Amino acid sequence: MSQILTLELNDRVFAAIQQQSENIGIPPERLVATLVEQNFTQIFRTLLTDTEKEVRRAKFERHFGEIDLGFATDIDNESIDADLAKEYASNHEEG
């Protein structure tokens, strides 16, 4: 569902909108609609019902898990520190 909203803008604002919309290649009314929607994104989140919030959270949590790269990645701090120290100490000359 969408609604039509008529705005009165001063010439300076309209010229800026028109220039930007030409640069992007979209109509001025679409640019303004997009900008307004982007500014209300945070408010839209607060208006979600608990059920909608749960659905969004479940979709997000589907990405949780683990990955097997088939080789060790040395994600412990000690081995990372040792690798960094070795690289910092190296002069990277071939020999």
Side-chain angles (χ1 to χ4, degrees):
M1 180 175 162
S2 63
Q3 302 293 324
I4 295 175
L5 177 65
T6 303
L7 301 172
E8 185 174 329
L9 304 170
N10 67 43
D11 290 339
R12 183 177 177 204
V13 171
F14 182 76
I17 291 170
Q18 192 170 27
Q19 178 66 43
Q20 186 66 25
S21 67
E22 288 173 5
N23 291 342
I24 298 172
I26 62 174
E29 60 274 12
R30 185 66 202 136
L31 174 63
V32 172
T34 301
L35 293 171
V36 170
E37 288 174 13
Q38 288 173 348
N39 282 318
F40 281 90
T41 300
Q42 188 64 33
I43 293 171
F44 293 153
R45 285 191 200 121
T46 63
L47 298 176
L48 294 175
T49 65
D50 287 341
T51 302
E52 291 170 322
K53 288 177 185 177
E54 288 175 22
V55 168
R56 286 185 177 207
R57 184 163 217 24
K59 286 181 181 179
F60 173 68
E61 288 179 355
R62 283 190 317 203
H63 300 285
F64 290 7
E66 61 184 64
I67 186 168
D68 182 5
L69 299 176
F71 55 88
T73 57
D74 292 330
I75 57 173
D76 63 283
N77 286 338
E78 290 78 19
S79 65
I80 292 171
D81 290 344
D83 289 342
L84 287 172
K86 184 171 68 175
E87 286 299 315
Y88 289 143
S90 173
N91 60 13
H92 297 286
E93 291 181 9
E94 293 183 26

